[in-house]
């Protein structure tokens, strides 16, 4: 449908929909993920056929208060729409997508990954999609069950499980 500021909220307990608070920023093809009780709406397209642009903006909806946090969260470094998203170990990952526009004639595929940390409200650049795919492929060739990441605290945490790595490489046509 058409991009609007209107929000619909689904209640799975009783299978009903209700109107929620309007979006602070009109966006289409944005990434959305729940992190720490907040739904983060990141990037997207401005829905302007005369001036097609991807967005860097980032809003967060607090589920408990049913309202948007005041102001905006840290913006993406790279404007993008139609990107993949996921939450791993308390961080929001935004990968790939399109920019500067969304249509075939004005969009290019992105090969970058950005990682959001909610504590400092900051994005860090991750490895490029090519680097990440090669790293995952090598891990599978070596028979590893998981990829680990050493945190600043010195603690190791699981970055990717074997099942996720196999699915990623299958999608990339590597296995």
């Amino acid at each position: 449908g058409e991009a609007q500021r209107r929000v619909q909220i689904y209640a799975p307990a009783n299978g009903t929909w209700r109107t929620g608070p309007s979006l602070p920023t009109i966006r289409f093809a944005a990434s959305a993920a729940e992190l720490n009780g907040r739904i983060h709406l990141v990037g997207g397209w401005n829905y302007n056929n005369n001036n097609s642009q991807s967005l860097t903006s980032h809003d967060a909806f607090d589920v408990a208060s049913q309202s948007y946090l005041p102001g905006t969260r840290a913006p993406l470094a790279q404007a993008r729409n139609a990107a993949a998203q996921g939450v791993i170990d308390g961080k929001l990952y935004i990968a790939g997508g399109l920019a500067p526009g969304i249509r075939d004639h004005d969009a290019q595929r992105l090969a970058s990954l950005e990682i959001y940390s909610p504590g400092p409200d900051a994005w860090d650049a991750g490895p490029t999609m090519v680097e990440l795919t090669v790293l995952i492929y090598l891990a599978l060739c070596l028979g590893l069950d998981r990829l680990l990441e050493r945190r600043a605290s010195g603690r190791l945490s699981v970055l990717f499980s074997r099942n996720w790595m196999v699915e990623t490489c299958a999608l990339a046509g590597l296995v």
Side-chain angles (χ1 to χ4, degrees), residues 111-132:
S112 59
L113 170 70
E114 295 187 54
I115 305 166
Y116 176 73
S117 299
D121 184 33
W123 290 93
D124 292 309
T128 67
M129 301 302 278
V130 171
E131 293 167 337
L132 186 58

Side-chain angles (χ1 to χ4, degrees), residues 39-60:
I39 299 172
H40 291 260
L41 303 167
V42 183
W45 179 57
N46 67 350
Y47 206 78
N48 182 334
N49 285 316
N50 296 320
N51 184 24
S52 180
Q53 295 294 316
S54 292
L55 305 172
T56 60
S57 59
H58 174 190
D59 295 305

